[in-house]
Amino acid sequence: MLAVLALVLGAGCSSSLPKYDYAKEPDPRTKELVLGVGDQVAINVWENKDLNTEASIRPDGMITMPLVGDLKAVGETPSSLKARIKARLQDFVKLQGTEITVAVRSWKSYRFTVQGEVSHAGVFTADQYLTVADALALAGGPSRFAKRGEVTLLRRDPKTGEVRKIPLDYDAIASGKRQDMNICVLAGDTIWVP
């Protein structure tokens, strides 16, 4: 009788870890920041202080700069935006030896959602990329009612628009057994804790 009870309890408690290739998920921490709506940039044109400006990226994805006017900034990196500014400014000013810098002053486009059985569900932002464990900690962690082995990260594919479901096991991440699951949370991701 005890052996049967042990088998039944063992079968009910076993959690099979998700099978997913987490290595194929992007890690933006190794690349240059991509600008988005709401981000603020400071543009400095050396020896042309009248062209220096601070701009917030508008909902239409544009910034406005003296002399140049509107420039598309959404989807650009600081380096690519700098190259676009330099190309546009050359129509108006001699830039021989002039250095242009683009600095990100405020990064507001990095927003993600944590929903479900967590202490503080909501939309969160940070000044650096977070991992799944960091994002869940920001939301106060899973509640005592959470199904910790059934966490899902929902991620929209930027090319196809389809939403992928990435299975996660909170306990495996928190214990350090499956650090490959502790992927980087991207802007627009949703973490669902059932």
Side-chain angles (χ1 to χ4, degrees):
M1 180 72 166
L2 236 57
V4 172
L5 183 61
L7 281 173
V8 170
L9 288 175
C13 293
S14 70
S15 80
S16 62
L17 292 175
K19 292 180 184 5
Y20 186 85
D21 185 7
Y22 299 97
K24 73 178 182 182
E25 293 304 323
D27 188 348
R29 296 173 294 185
T30 61
K31 298 177 181 138
E32 192 174 7
L33 179 76
V34 177
L35 299 170
V37 173
D39 295 344
Q40 294 178 343
V41 292
I43 301 163
N44 187 346
V45 181
W46 190 65
E47 293 186 348
N48 282 294
K49 67 179 180 177
D50 293 337
L51 297 175
N52 295 347
T53 189
E54 289 205 14
S56 184
I57 301 174
R58 302 187 310 253
D60 65 356
M62 308 293 271
I63 60 169
T64 302
M65 188 176 164
L67 199 59
V68 172
D70 287 346
L71 283 166
K72 179 182 169 283
V74 162
E76 300 286 344
T77 64
S79 296
S80 66
L81 182 58
K82 174 177 135 178
R84 294 189 77 214
I85 291 168
K86 190 169 191 174
R88 292 278 297 270
L89 277 177
Q90 286 178 341
D91 294 339
F92 304 102
V93 180
K94 277 191 164 191
L95 294 176
Q96 189 69 21
T98 299
E99 186 61 36
I100 298 171
T101 60
V102 175
V104 179
R105 292 279 189 236
S106 175
W107 188 38
K108 295 183 178 183
S109 64
Y110 181 56
R111 290 183 294 276
F112 56 90
T113 305
V114 181
Q115 296 178 331
E117 289 293 331
V118 291
S119 296
H120 310 288
V123 177
F124 297 91
T125 187
D127 58 2
Q128 63 185 357
Y129 285 108
L130 301 180
T131 63
V132 169
D134 296 333
L136 287 171
L138 200 58
S143 73
R144 64 184 182 141
F145 303 109
K147 295 178 182 173
R148 299 157 78 96
E150 299 176 24
V151 176
T152 304
L153 188 143
L154 305 169
R155 178 169 288 166
R156 185 172 303 278
D157 187 300
K159 295 177 183 171
T160 65
E162 292 183 27
V163 175
R164 288 184 289 121
K165 294 180 179 181
I166 303 170
L168 302 167
D169 184 315
Y170 177 77
D171 290 331
I173 293 171
S175 69
K177 291 179 184 175
R178 291 290 305 270
Q179 283 303 300
D180 61 320
M181 282 186 195
N182 197 19
I183 59 177
C184 195
V185 177
L186 303 180
D189 283 355
T190 297
I191 299 172
W192 171 250
V193 182

